Amino acid sequence: MIFLGLGSNLHSNFGDRFKNLNLAISLLDSYGIKILRKSSFYETPSYPDESKPKYINIVVLIETKLPLIDLMSVLIFIEEKLERKRNKKNDPRTCDIDILDYFKKVMNFEYNNMNFVIPHQKMNLRNFVLFPLKEICPDWIHPVSNKKIDVLIDELKDQEK
């Protein structure tokens, strides 16, 4: 099972945050990446700087025959097509797509001069990942800590819940 986290906190030439995410999902489908489940939309403050525009986030469960590097290439292409700019870490963006879990594997790899860690390193601390993930996979277990998603949510700070 492959889970992706998608987020947007800026409008693009294609539309608002919701349209950006819906277009990203359509583009995934056009590359043969089948959406098996999709969470509701979740609006959350920008992280770590809450003064920046709020995010809309979703989590999707996908199926694809693409190898990991090819999947990563498609995800980055979709981000760029939706006008994602990579300036500073945590800058607002039109589209962000992260691989949260890739077949329960634990991996570090480099692609296009960027370093990636799977499962996403800080997903266990982020309500905007855990709540939508729980919605579509309530029995999910973190591949590194082996903690159930309910335990990870319980461990969030009260203000994050």
Side-chain angles (χ1 to χ4, degrees):
M1 295 195 327
I2 305 170
F3 292 94
L4 304 178
L6 292 85
S8 176
N9 71 336
L10 290 179
H11 288 50
S12 71
N13 286 325
F14 302 101
D16 64 14
R17 301 169 299 165
F18 294 96
K19 286 188 179 164
N20 290 340
L21 295 179
N22 284 324
L23 181 55
I25 288 168
S26 294
L27 289 168
L28 287 169
D29 186 57
S30 73
Y31 282 92
I33 299 168
K34 184 176 178 183
I35 307 295
L36 302 176
R37 289 189 199 141
K38 179 178 85 162
S39 74
S40 303
F41 292 102
Y42 289 77
E43 185 175 51
T44 56
S46 189
Y47 179 87
D49 183 353
E50 291 187 9
S51 70
K52 294 184 178 173
K54 289 184 178 182
Y55 268 91
I56 300 296
N57 292 285
I58 60 172
V59 170
V60 294
L61 170 63
I62 65 165
E63 180 179 84
T64 183
K65 291 183 166 98
L66 293 173
L68 177 61
I69 295 302
D70 293 343
L71 173 61
M72 200 73 237
S73 175
V74 169
L75 300 182
I76 290 171
F77 173 78
I78 291 170
E79 288 178 341
E80 290 172 356
K81 182 163 182 67
L82 287 166
E83 304 168 355
R84 162 102 189 244
K85 305 289 184 248
R86 293 184 188 277
N87 297 322
K88 287 193 245 174
K89 185 176 173 79
N90 297 317
D91 265 357
R93 54 199 79 146
T94 55
C95 184
D96 183 35
I97 308 174
D98 292 323
I99 299 174
L100 303 174
D101 187 353
Y102 187 85
F103 299 109
K104 300 285 183 208
K105 294 181 181 178
V106 179
M107 298 182 274
N108 296 304
F109 66 98
E110 185 177 312
Y111 176 77
N112 223 16
N113 296 319
M114 295 180 280
N115 294 312
F116 297 94
V117 177
I118 298 175
H120 193 278
Q121 280 184 297
K122 295 184 181 179
M123 68 181 287
N124 60 309
L125 304 174
R126 296 187 171 155
N127 62 358
F128 57 86
V129 171
L130 295 177
F131 284 103
L133 180 56
K134 178 183 167 69
E135 179 186 336
I136 64 171
C137 190
D139 298 326
W140 185 83
I141 297 172
H142 195 284
V144 175
S145 69
N146 287 316
K147 293 180 180 179
K148 293 181 178 182
I149 195 156
D150 287 329
V151 171
L152 296 173
I153 289 172
D154 285 343
E155 292 175 350
L156 289 171
K157 296 176 186 173
D158 284 342
Q159 68 194 36
E160 297 289 319
K161 293 178 187 176

